[in-house]
Amino acid sequence: MTTADRLVLYDLYGAYGGLIDAVDWPGWLDLFAATCRYQVVPRENYDQGLPAALIFCDSRAMLEDRIMALREANKYNIHWDRHVIGLPRVIGDEAGEISVEAAFAVYQSDQEGGSRLFATGLYRDRIVREAGGFKFRDKTIMLDTFAVPSLLATPL
Amino acid sequence: MTTADRLVLYDLYGAYGGLIDAVDWPGWLDLFAATCRYQVVPRENYDQGLPAALIFCDSRAMLEDRIMALREANKYNIHWDRHVIGLPRVIGDEAGEISVEAAFAVYQSDQEGGSRLFATGLYRDRIVREAGGFKFRDKTIMLDTFAVPSLLATPL
Amino acid sequence: MTTADRLVLYDLYGAYGGLIDAVDWPGWLDLFAATCRYQVVPRENYDQGLPAALIFCDSRAMLEDRIMALREANKYNIHWDRHVIGLPRVIGDEAGEISVEAAFAVYQSDQEGGSRLFATGLYRDRIVREAGGFKFRDKTIMLDTFAVPSLLATPL
């Protein structure tokens, strides 16, 4: 992977968090490959190889449906997200797919202006090159935090 | 923007948080262009285009005055800041100005050694090239958290 | 330092946090030079030049012993760490040693799926080039948070 490509990869992660926080769903969906998978798995299940995911979408259309449903739910739980994502770490790069991991923390702020930690975890992603740059082929979100009251009102 | 320039940009953000946390105000002020603006705006006001800022400085001299006042206030509320800043994201680059966004979380620790989340938000910056590297021309801090007891005892 | 080297440096920090969080101790120990020092110092002591460290290891063998002891302690306090590390900042680069600083926040999640801020601080490191890339020669962890109940059940 060239140095320039590495920075394009960093941009993908900057955009991933930035677009969720800016509530720009079309822009966010565009970060995924046409054929893609998105899932949120509690760490314990992940470690034990259990298949049960909190969210599982195996196409961009399904992911889009999910986002629309979340938008509806959010009308009754108004808050703002803020993603702080650590440096992406390239784990593998072969057969046209790049494996990347990045730690994240998501904070939520309510309308009274209070902020709190919402969730932490690890992105474990497979990324492909498409027209327009790198895209997520498979985004597996290994979630440390799964006991939160308003869980998953927005994507992680 | 060249690959080398991108890393200089990353350094600007590393230095921005690092110098506040190290209480190095001259070093921190030097990250701003001679003609600059610094403002802290609650997210709600920002979204609605309301002009009211929590802090507004439209010159480096005014920013310096503000910092000196904060130093005085801090004598009565001793704490340490820690900035964790996400990957800066280049939004635009034209006419000699680079538009950059970066998510941040600021933590504060008190003299008893307890730490807590202080604030989260988004830097929305316009950056220029000057002798000595990139400088902030306009730093707008969109603040998610505005209901905190000891707000803004140091710059965000 | 070349652009490519800077990205190798970023990778070192990505791996540092990632390998602790993945509980991969052999991988983590391999990030240190054969001759190395690792210490955790409260911020107040650091600022006053006091030598007292919360943890002090002046060889990789000693660091390895310490890790094995921590693993034993962790059987009775099961939790998961998550490191979010800010952009590493190169402070100096001479005589074959690179001085780097990076802010960090560490979160812990328990078996009930709750997450909380565990500690914040600053890595103040000296790094050398060895076969296999950059390695930590001296890792000094300046800790903002020292009043935590389950302190240092894993390395920071």
Side-chain angles (χ1 to χ4, degrees), chain B residues 19-93:
Chain B
L19 292 169
I20 294 176
D21 297 347
V23 200
D24 179 353
W25 302 125
W28 181 75
L29 286 165
D30 195 44
L31 302 179
F32 289 85
T35 304
C36 68
R37 192 173 68 159
Y38 170 98
Q39 59 178 341
V40 180
V41 183
R43 181 167 185 152
E44 215 161 3
N45 290 20
Y46 191 96
D47 285 348
Q48 298 175 26
L50 297 175
L54 293 169
I55 295 186
F56 183 86
C57 299
D58 63 358
S59 71
R60 194 157 65 179
M62 193 174 167
L63 190 53
E64 193 167 354
D65 279 355
R66 180 85 199 192
I67 290 298
M68 294 304 124
L70 292 176
R71 287 177 66 172
E72 194 62 29
N74 269 349
K75 289 180 184 165
Y76 307 100
N77 171 28
I78 293 173
H79 68 269
W80 304 106
D81 285 338
R82 185 64 60 207
H83 286 67
V84 179
I85 301 174
L87 286 165
R89 187 176 159 223
V90 176
I91 303 294
D93 183 0

Side-chain angles (χ1 to χ4, degrees), chain B residues 3-4 7 10-11 13-15 18-19 21-23 80-88 105 107 109-117, chain C residues 2-4 6-7 10 43-44 47 84-90 101 103-105 107 117-122 142 144-148:
Chain B
T3 301
L7 293 173
Y10 285 1
D11 284 343
Y13 282 85
L19 292 169
D21 297 347
V23 200
W80 304 106
D81 285 338
R82 185 64 60 207
H83 286 67
V84 179
I85 301 174
L87 286 165
Y107 307 92
S109 300
D110 57 30
Q111 291 183 295
E112 281 72 43
S115 298
R116 64 187 180 90
L117 179 65
Chain C
T2 66
T3 302
R6 281 290 299 272
L7 294 173
Y10 285 1
R43 181 167 184 151
E44 213 161 5
D47 286 347
V84 179
I85 301 174
L87 287 165
R89 188 177 159 222
V90 176
E101 293 186 359
F104 68 87
Y107 307 91
L117 178 65
F118 177 67
T120 69
L122 185 70
M142 195 179 77
D144 299 331
T145 316
F146 50 91
V148 286

